[in-house]
Amino acid sequence: MRISLLSCPFTDPHTPSLQSALLSALLKNRGYSVYSADFNRYMYLKSAKKYGMMWELTNQWQEDNPWTGSCFLPLFIKNNSSHIDRFAGAVAARKPSLACFTVYRKNCALSVETAARIRAKDAGIAMVFIALDPMENTGMKNILENRHADFIITDNAEETLVELARRFRAGSDISGCKGLFLRDGTRMRFTGKRKPPLDINSLPYPDFRDSSGTRDHLEVVPVQASRGCIKSCAFCTDTQRWKPFLGMNAKRIYSELVHQRRRYHAGRFVFFDSCLAGDTDTISSLCGMIIDSKELSGIRWGAVWTVLPGIPRSFFEKMKKAGCEYLCFGLDTGSRRILKKMGSSITIKQNEKTLRDIHNSGILTAPSFFIGFPGETEADFRKTLDFVEKNIEYIDHPLEYLFQTPVLNPSRLYRNRSGYGISSGSAEPVFWRTSSGKNDYFVRQERYWRFIGKVLRWKRGYIPEIDLNIQRAARLYHLAEYWERAGRGNTASYYYGRLLGERLVPEPFKDIIRNRIGSRRVRCRTGKNS
């Protein structure tokens, strides 16, 4: 049986899809003929000159991304229709039984469009969406009812897709396959969660070769050694999707690194785990294996970490000796009161010690901070600024993971909005506000940019790793959108006009912005003119 694995724009065009590579290896091991196609990278190479900034905007935009939404995406599809149609035709010509899309928030719309074009060429191909970001029930229902997809996998993608393929090939009842949504007559039905949890030590090594024969050499190879996180921060979505935490043993991780270095001649690896620190004994053993290994001599790697009490500096020195270049980890806030609200039992002193130990071990530090968590006061925010100023020499990348707290499904913050004092009438994830009125989009924006200004003043000569022009464009767009929703067309026009002056906005999209401005008046979504 033939299966196509497809990755659509707009994800990072410079890093191959880890999930697609893992699914490819699993299916090939079970005897399926797999056609892997990175449509994301294909489109980037074809349209980079005119639309390349869309990938940059999408992958650095920290909240809702307008460039891949209903406002701008139709124009991109129209102007690139021939490329999309050619790709759909190539997939359909291979006559796969299943066309499987790895779907994130930022590529869902293009996945829907591509699936529709494949189906138009061959209605006999079953469309499978593998949801790697949480999807709202209303969105999944719309996708299934409109036949954009026949199945949506939301639980343990590897096991679920393998069983779905087996049942499809055998012609047996698909509804018995746990872990997916399907269309049952006129309604959507979930087949149930999968049990027991996946044994990730048994997974094969991801196969990054695509069907064009490229990617025999990779400068950086993605690795995933665990699923989930040992913590449960209120703003995080990963801890809600993966329960319990699952981690590979040191020998399994080591063998994958050796295999991938031989196969792709790679010198660097990046761990895509939500938290590599889930089992510190495993990481210590892995580092010892790397240090003693001739085959992995000279490798470099980075990962997401977490602050844990009782970890000595010698632990990080061992990681550095094993090739660790950088660690990203959550410091989140300088206020102990807000840390507790976030669900953390870590103290500010423990955060400070971990930060300094990592930096002093020679590992680059890239801590995350969340601005404007519900309940944060000006005094709490000042404590964050004080913490950063006190420790600025130990923070190598202070802005790379700076967030205005988003309210994302299925985080605890989203599921218990009223418990965190978030107004029921506010719009997530960007424009939410607290019932008290003391924390809204404007408060978070002011603190966000004040944080950036302070860092640039304290850290002389520092060049931010994020493009601040993109963040400024985001601010202008969200301000225009906010006032348009509020029925203030003239104010919205003012911010749309300023957005026109941003060099980062793709030129074709500026015509859309001009149309929204009209004669300096925006027709608001309420249907009224201001």
Side-chain angles (χ1 to χ4, degrees), residues 32 66 75 82 100 151 153 172 277 292 299 361 364 370 388 406 485 501:
Y32 296 100
L75 179 64
S82 61
C100 306
F151 311 102
I153 294 175
S172 55
D292 294 338
I299 68 163
S361 299
L364 295 175
F370 282 81
V388 173
R485 290 185 181 190

Side-chain angles (χ1 to χ4, degrees), residues 363-378:
I363 298 172
L364 295 175
T365 59
S368 65
F369 293 96
F370 282 81
I371 305 299
F373 189 85
E376 180 188 84
T377 63
E378 175 64 21

Side-chain angles (χ1 to χ4, degrees), residues 241-255:
R241 297 183 65 225
W242 281 102
K243 292 182 178 180
F245 173 83
L246 301 172
M248 291 179 177
N249 60 49
K251 184 177 180 181
R252 169 61 181 78
I253 304 170
Y254 173 81
S255 64

Side-chain angles (χ1 to χ4, degrees), residues 19 28 54 62 69-70 83 103 147 179 248 362 384 449 474 512:
Q19 189 65 51
K28 287 176 181 177
M54 281 190 72
Q62 293 182 347
S70 59
H83 293 315
V103 181
R147 289 188 56 79
M248 291 179 177
T384 300
W449 285 100
I512 293 179

Side-chain angles (χ1 to χ4, degrees), residues 445-458:
Q445 272 283 306
E446 189 278 329
R447 290 176 183 169
Y448 177 83
W449 285 100
R450 196 180 349 151
F451 185 105
I452 291 173
K454 295 284 189 182
V455 165
L456 295 178
R457 191 178 74 191
W458 295 330

Side-chain angles (χ1 to χ4, degrees), residues 372-524:
F373 189 85
E376 180 188 84
T377 63
E378 175 64 21
D380 293 314
F381 177 64
R382 286 183 179 275
K383 289 180 180 179
T384 300
L385 293 179
D386 291 342
F387 178 91
V388 173
E389 183 178 17
K390 179 182 177 183
N391 293 284
I392 193 66
E393 66 179 288
Y394 305 102
I395 304 175
D396 297 296
H397 298 286
L399 299 180
E400 188 168 0
Y401 296 99
L402 176 64
F403 301 98
Q404 299 171 61
T405 305
V407 180
L408 298 172
N409 184 29
S411 68
R412 286 193 292 112
L413 187 58
Y414 178 90
R415 292 182 172 181
N416 188 23
R417 298 189 289 283
S418 61
Y420 285 96
I422 296 174
S423 171
S424 60
S426 59
E428 301 88 18
V430 177
F431 297 121
W432 64 268
R433 63 181 182 276
T434 54
S435 302
S436 67
K438 294 181 179 179
N439 186 345
D440 61 14
Y441 173 72
F442 297 97
V443 170
R444 295 188 294 276
Q445 272 283 306
E446 189 278 329
R447 290 176 183 169
Y448 177 83
W449 285 100
R450 196 180 349 151
F451 185 105
I452 291 173
K454 295 284 189 182
V455 165
L456 295 178
R457 191 178 74 191
W458 295 330
K459 204 169 181 67
R460 297 292 183 183
Y462 165 65
I463 300 175
E465 50 288 314
I466 63 170
D467 191 332
L468 294 181
N469 291 318
I470 289 178
Q471 304 311 316
R472 278 189 280 268
R475 179 174 180 269
L476 291 173
Y477 180 86
H478 283 142
L479 284 168
E481 184 182 27
Y482 179 89
W483 290 117
E484 189 175 349
R485 290 185 181 190
R488 298 272 296 276
N490 284 338
T491 306
S493 291
Y494 168 75
Y495 287 109
Y496 278 129
R498 288 184 60 186
L499 188 60
L500 282 175
E502 294 292 320
R503 63 174 178 80
L504 296 172
V505 179
E507 196 60 38
F509 293 166
K510 291 188 176 182
D511 290 336
I512 293 179
I513 296 173
R514 292 186 186 98
N515 289 336
R516 291 178 84 87
I517 296 173
S519 58
R520 300 295 299 167
R521 298 169 69 84
V522 174
R523 180 169 292 278
C524 299

